[in-house]
Amino acid sequence: MIKKVGILTAGGDCPGLNAVIRGAVKTAEYNGVETYGFIEGYKGLLENKYIKLDSYVTSGIIHKGGTILGSNNKTNTFAIPVKKENGEVEYVDKSYEIAERLKQDNFDCLIIVGGDGSLKSARDYMRRGLNVIGVPKTIDNDVPYTDTTFGFDTAVGVATEAVDRLHTTAESHGRIMVLEVMGRYAGWIALEAGIAGGADTVLIPEIPYDLNKVLDKINQRRSMGKNFSLIVVAEGAMPKEGTISIRKTEENGGGLDTIKLGGAGEYVAREIEKLAGQEARATNLGYVQRGGDTSHYDRILATEYGSAAMQLAIDGKFGEMITLLNGKLTHVSLDDVAGKDTEIGSKSSNLKLVDLNGDLVNTARRIGICLGD
Ligand code: F6P
């Protein structure tokens, strides 16, 4: 029987993290297991900073965005930058040391709540001999082997409201309104918010776009007397003959996602204004998609994930990620999620992208949404 479990929330914050922590802690307490939360994700693991969690600490947090444990998307414990005497930086693998310390401190299992990169590190810790369980987190919905990740529903809700709000101002001014939403290299948020908000055009990373097709859509609307258009652009969208829009590249160690996307919406607005000869305005929705209260769907999903992850730990089923497959709560191997062949400490490339032959894309096309192709 296990006695002591650690939990950490890694990567960008996301609505539902607190509900996961609460679900896990309550399930642990019910079974007489102690839970400790590492502070700021893998940074807390590196610095050995953790706090005891119980139902007192986790009360009143189910609805709150963010994470009471803090998070961090800059620490890759498999490649920590260390400055040498000659000023050069070398990357040191601290994972062996960390895994050994956790074992000595009698941690029976570590629950890692994170997106694709953090789950890959979870798989790598498993290879270092730790008992690990993963929980899929991200507003981007790009983790494979799960129908959905918690946080996505809340983000789509916020993005849909933004499309609604832009609609009324677009119509009043006869403008082209461009909304840039998050999602990294996947177009899930853009596509769902675009369909739900009644957008005319949705540009996603999975379909490199041609602005002339977007212009055709604008003209088609004009010919039926609609002198305004709504375009939703995923931050990772790119023109057919072009590249993705990068806000900055961070030098923060091997294995991490160092590219910060941004500017795709501004680009589309600028170019389409010239092509269409009509005022265009861009709005970058940004971090409001990640912050604030959690939707009821995400509260329930996150509670289920947290509770089921702790139950897996209690049942001794390690090396797994909790998942929702065909609407049923189950688990899959972290090896499958991370991609069996990916090297330890390297970036994950096993992302779940929008299925170009799937229901969402087909529906969008059938109702006349322009996807830029
Ligand atoms: O992965 C979640 C996400 O919010 C992406 O949608 C976005 O590209 C990225 O994180 C932003 O990360 P950061 O917090 O490093 O700016």
Side-chain angles (χ1 to χ4, degrees):
M1 178 64 190
I2 63 158
K3 291 201 181 76
K4 186 173 171 184
V5 172
I7 185 166
L8 64 85
T9 53
D13 73 329
C14 169
L17 283 168
N18 286 325
V20 171
I21 298 168
R22 178 177 171 276
V25 168
K26 280 184 180 287
T27 305
E29 263 186 0
Y30 186 72
N31 288 279
V33 173
E34 289 190 334
T35 316
Y36 293 84
F38 284 88
I39 304 300
E40 288 184 43
Y42 285 106
K43 187 162 179 267
L45 208 55
L46 177 71
E47 296 171 354
N48 203 24
K49 285 193 185 143
Y50 55 85
I51 54 166
K52 173 102 170 55
L53 295 173
D54 55 27
S55 19
Y56 181 77
V57 180
T58 57
S59 90
I61 63 168
I62 190 168
H63 62 291
K64 283 188 186 160
T67 158
I68 57 163
L69 292 176
S71 195
N72 171 303
N73 54 10
K74 292 189 167 45
T75 310
N76 176 11
T77 53
F78 294 84
I80 296 292
V82 178
K83 219 176 199 165
K84 293 200 288 189
E85 270 177 22
N86 64 6
E88 272 175 30
V89 174
E90 71 174 342
Y91 290 94
V92 180
D93 184 353
K94 296 276 187 185
S95 62
Y96 290 98
E97 191 178 311
I98 291 170
E100 205 38 53
R101 176 177 11 97
L102 288 183
K103 281 188 230 158
Q104 269 168 20
D105 287 350
N106 298 317
F107 278 99
D108 297 303
C109 176
L110 186 61
I111 296 178
I112 294 174
V113 191
D116 70 301
S118 313
L119 290 168
K120 208 195 136 282
S121 296
R123 190 285 308 272
D124 294 346
Y125 269 106
M126 194 179 90
R127 291 185 175 176
R128 297 283 186 255
L130 274 189
N131 291 331
V132 176
I133 286 162
V135 179
K137 165 238 73 162
T138 171
I139 63 163
D140 304 334
N141 197 32
D142 59 1
V143 175
Y145 296 97
T146 185
D147 295 350
T148 188
T149 50
F150 70 86
F152 174 62
D153 179 74
T154 307
V156 171
V158 174
T160 303
E161 193 195 333
V163 181
D164 289 346
R165 289 181 182 278
L166 289 174
H167 243 120
T168 56
T169 165
E171 189 165 10
S172 306
H173 287 267
R175 280 175 175 159
I176 301 165
M177 283 292 182
V178 180
L179 177 69
E180 178 179 319
V181 297
M182 284 184 166
R184 285 202 309 166
Y185 305 106
W188 296 105
I189 298 178
L191 192 54
E192 290 214 1
I195 294 174
D200 310 301
T201 294
V202 178
L203 305 177
I204 58 174
E206 293 84 348
I207 306 177
Y209 62 82
D210 175 353
L211 277 180
N212 290 307
K213 302 289 177 184
V214 181
L215 179 63
D216 290 347
K217 181 70 194 176
I218 290 169
N219 285 333
Q220 184 204 331
R221 286 178 54 74
R222 282 170 172 164
S223 67
M224 55 185 227
K226 300 274 187 187
N227 195 29
F228 66 97
S229 274
L230 256 295
I231 305 176
V232 178
V233 180
E235 61 181 352
M238 59 173 164
K240 255 185 185 154
E241 325 272 309
T243 52
I244 47 167
S245 301
I246 296 176
R247 180 165 45 88
K248 66 171 175 173
T249 307
E250 282 177 353
E251 273 316 316
N252 53 10
L256 287 175
D257 190 4
T258 50
I259 293 176
K260 301 292 165 193
L261 299 173
E266 277 289 347
Y267 174 81
V268 169
R270 198 170 56 239
E271 296 304 314
I272 204 69
E273 182 170 275
K274 286 187 236 158
L275 272 180
Q278 184 179 1
E279 258 188 335
R281 294 279 192 273
T283 302
N284 186 348
L285 196 52
Y287 294 86
V288 293
Q289 290 160 100
R290 259 165 58 171
D293 280 356
T294 309
S295 73
H296 85 276
Y297 178 85
D298 280 335
R299 292 181 203 186
I300 295 169
L301 183 66
T303 301
E304 287 181 324
Y305 278 177
S307 170
M310 187 57 80
Q311 190 60 52
L312 272 188
I314 291 164
D315 296 343
K317 292 186 180 146
F318 306 119
E320 298 285 296
M321 178 186 84
I322 208 74
T323 171
L324 192 72
L325 280 182
N326 301 320
K328 272 209 73 63
L329 211 56
T330 177
H331 48 94
V332 290
S333 130
L334 275 168
D335 251 327
D336 287 338
V337 175
K340 286 195 180 66
D341 304 328
T342 49
E343 258 174 66
I344 285 192
S346 71
K347 262 192 254 184
S348 170
S349 55
N350 209 16
L351 298 179
K352 182 183 77 179
L353 300 180
V354 169
D355 176 3
L356 297 187
N357 300 307
D359 291 341
L360 277 177
V361 167
N362 288 338
T363 301
R365 290 197 195 282
R366 279 198 301 264
I367 62 169
I369 292 179
C370 165
L371 296 176
D373 60 347

